[in-house]
Amino acid sequence: MFAYLTGSLIAVLAGFALDLIFGDPSTPLHPICLIGNLIAKLEKGIRPRCEKNPDAGNAPEAALRRRQRREFFGGVWMAILVIVISAGISALLLFFCYHLFFWLGVAAEAVMCFFLFAVKSLKKESMNVKRALETDGLEAGRKAVARIVGRDTQALTETGVVKAAVETVAENFSDGVFAPMLYMMIGGGVLGFFYKSINTMDSMVGYKNEKYLYFGRFAAKLDDVVNYIPSRLAALLLTVSAPLAGLDGRNAWKIWRRDRRNHASPNSAQTESAAAGALHVQLAGDAYYFGKLYKKPFIGDDDRPIERADIARVNRLMVAASVLSLAVLGLIKGMLLWGLSGILA
C-alpha cells in the first residue's frame, strides 16, 4: 500500500509536468470525451423512459409532478452509472498495471493525471480570445470565447468578451486544476476520475432550464458537494499567489471575503471574487444563457475598466497558483508518507 501511495504522488507530479509541456490533447479518445459520450448515450437511453406518461388520465398537475420525479430519479440513475463506470475502469486498469510492474502502474497513473489537468489548455484557449480580439476584431473574439463559456456570446461587447474569458480562467482554476489535483493527491487517478465524471456531468446536464431542471439536478448538487472545500481552498491559494504574479493579494483577500457568495452556485464566486480583487476589476453581472437573461450580482469593485491585458494577468495568476498548489499539496502528502514509512519501519 505504501508503495502505491508513493507511486500515486509521483504520478500526480509527472502528470502536472506533462500538462505544462503538452497541454490537453484534442482527440475523441480523450477520457473526458469518452465520459461525455457515455453521459450523452445514457441520457438518450434513460430520458425517454422518464418522459413516458402513464398518468395521462390523471389531473395535469399530478401527472406533471410524477414526470418530474421520474426525471429526477432518471438523473440519479445516470449519475451513479457514470461514476461507477468512470472510476471502476480506471481502478481496474491501475490494479492490472501496478500488479504487472510497479513502474508501469506509475506510468499509467501519470497519463491518467495528465488527462485530468487543464493548466496549459485553459491558458491557451483564453489567450486565443485575447489574440482574436487584437488581430481579427470583436466577432472573432466572440467566436473564440464561445469555445470556453456556456453563456450566449453573439451580442457580447469587447468588455463582455474579456470579462467572460477572465471569469472562465478564474472559475476553472478550481474545477480544472486545483480540485482534480486535490482529489488525485488523496486517491490517485481513480479518485481523480471520480471527481471529473461528476464535474463533466454538471457541465453537460447541470442547467436550470426546462430540459435539465429535474434530470440534471442530482448531478448539479453532487458537483456542488465535491467542489465545496476545493473551491474555497483554491480561492485562498489565488489570494496567496497574487503577489507572486505581481497582483494585489490584499485586495484579493478583501473581495473574496466580501463577494464569495455573489453567485447562485455556492462555489463559483469563490475563485472569481479572489481574481477580481487581485485584478481590481468587476466581474459577473447579468448574462444570457440559451436566449434567456439571468440576473446576477457583480463581483469585485469597478476600480478600473477591464481590458484585454487582464486575460494575460489572470493566466499569470492561475499558473502561479497552480504551481504553488502542487508544491503545498505535494509537500503535505510527502510528509504524510514519510511519517507513515517511519511507523511501518
Side-chain angles (χ1 to χ4, degrees):
M1 176 62 72
F2 177 77
Y4 298 144
L5 291 173
T6 304
S8 177
L9 174 58
I10 296 170
V12 176
L13 298 175
F16 184 83
L18 288 171
D19 178 67
L20 289 183
I21 296 168
F22 299 108
D24 213 19
S26 179
T27 167
L29 297 178
H30 192 297
I32 306 306
C33 291
L34 296 178
I35 291 174
N37 291 336
L38 173 64
I39 294 167
K41 288 181 179 180
L42 287 173
E43 180 186 356
K44 187 177 180 180
I46 294 172
R47 184 178 279 280
R49 300 173 184 268
C50 303
E51 293 176 349
K52 288 181 179 178
N53 191 9
D55 308 308
N58 295 340
E61 297 82 2
L64 178 61
R65 285 195 296 270
R66 288 189 176 90
R67 176 176 171 173
Q68 290 168 349
R69 274 201 301 272
R70 288 196 300 272
E71 286 187 3
F72 174 77
F73 285 109
V76 171
W77 178 232
M78 182 198 71
I80 292 171
L81 287 174
V82 170
I83 293 167
V84 169
I85 292 171
S86 301
I89 290 176
S90 60
L92 288 173
L93 178 61
L94 288 182
F95 179 82
F96 174 78
C97 291
Y98 271 112
H99 278 74
L100 191 63
F101 178 53
F102 174 76
W103 289 106
L104 177 62
V106 173
E109 193 163 13
V111 173
M112 284 184 179
C113 296
F114 162 56
F115 281 122
L116 294 173
F117 282 119
V119 179
K120 187 169 183 177
S121 62
L122 185 57
K123 180 180 178 182
K124 177 183 175 182
E125 291 294 335
S126 58
M127 289 300 290
N128 283 345
V129 177
K130 179 176 182 291
R131 281 189 288 271
L133 287 171
E134 292 172 343
T135 59
D136 299 314
L138 178 57
E139 188 57 37
R142 288 170 176 165
K143 291 179 180 178
V145 83
R147 291 170 51 89
I148 57 174
V149 300
R151 74 192 65 181
D152 298 344
T153 63
Q154 303 92 326
L156 289 179
T157 63
E158 179 170 323
T159 296
V161 169
V162 173
K163 184 187 290 188
V166 170
E167 289 171 8
T168 297
V169 174
E171 183 177 353
N172 282 281
F173 167 66
S174 179
D175 56 19
V177 181
F178 182 78
M181 184 188 297
L182 178 62
Y183 280 103
M184 285 187 284
M185 283 291 185
I186 295 171
V190 176
L191 200 60
F193 272 98
F194 166 84
Y195 167 78
K196 207 62 184 177
S197 66
I198 295 171
N199 190 241
T200 305
M201 278 190 289
D202 179 63
S203 67
M204 292 180 66
V205 304
Y207 296 101
K208 292 182 178 180
N209 56 23
E210 184 178 351
K211 182 177 181 180
Y212 290 117
L213 182 60
Y214 296 96
F215 188 80
R217 179 174 292 179
F218 182 75
K221 294 300 182 183
L222 197 55
D223 186 73
D224 287 343
V225 171
V226 298
N227 278 300
Y228 191 85
I229 293 175
S231 65
R232 285 149 179 80
L233 293 176
L236 179 60
L237 280 155
L238 284 177
T239 300
V240 173
S241 301
L244 302 177
L247 300 172
D248 192 340
R250 186 184 296 273
N251 199 54
W253 172 262
K254 170 191 166 185
I255 300 300
W256 173 43
R257 296 292 296 168
R258 191 191 73 191
D259 292 350
R260 66 190 187 276
R261 297 187 181 91
N262 284 9
H263 201 284
S265 163
N267 304 321
S268 294
Q270 299 290 331
T271 47
E272 284 187 35
S273 58
L279 293 167
H280 281 273
V281 297
Q282 191 173 72
L283 301 177
D286 300 348
Y288 282 89
Y289 294 84
F290 305 104
K292 182 179 179 181
L293 176 63
Y294 286 81
K295 306 292 288 185
K296 296 182 178 182
F298 287 108
I299 295 172
D301 293 327
D302 192 15
D303 294 336
R304 63 175 180 81
I306 195 166
E307 58 187 9
R308 298 171 187 171
D310 287 315
I311 300 176
R313 293 184 186 113
V314 77
N315 273 296
R316 196 165 67 239
L317 175 62
M318 182 269 295
V319 172
S322 300
V323 174
L324 181 61
S325 300
L326 187 72
V328 171
L329 294 178
L331 180 62
I332 292 173
K333 184 164 184 175
M335 291 175 65
L336 290 174
L337 290 176
W338 180 77
L340 182 61
S341 68
I343 295 172
L344 296 176

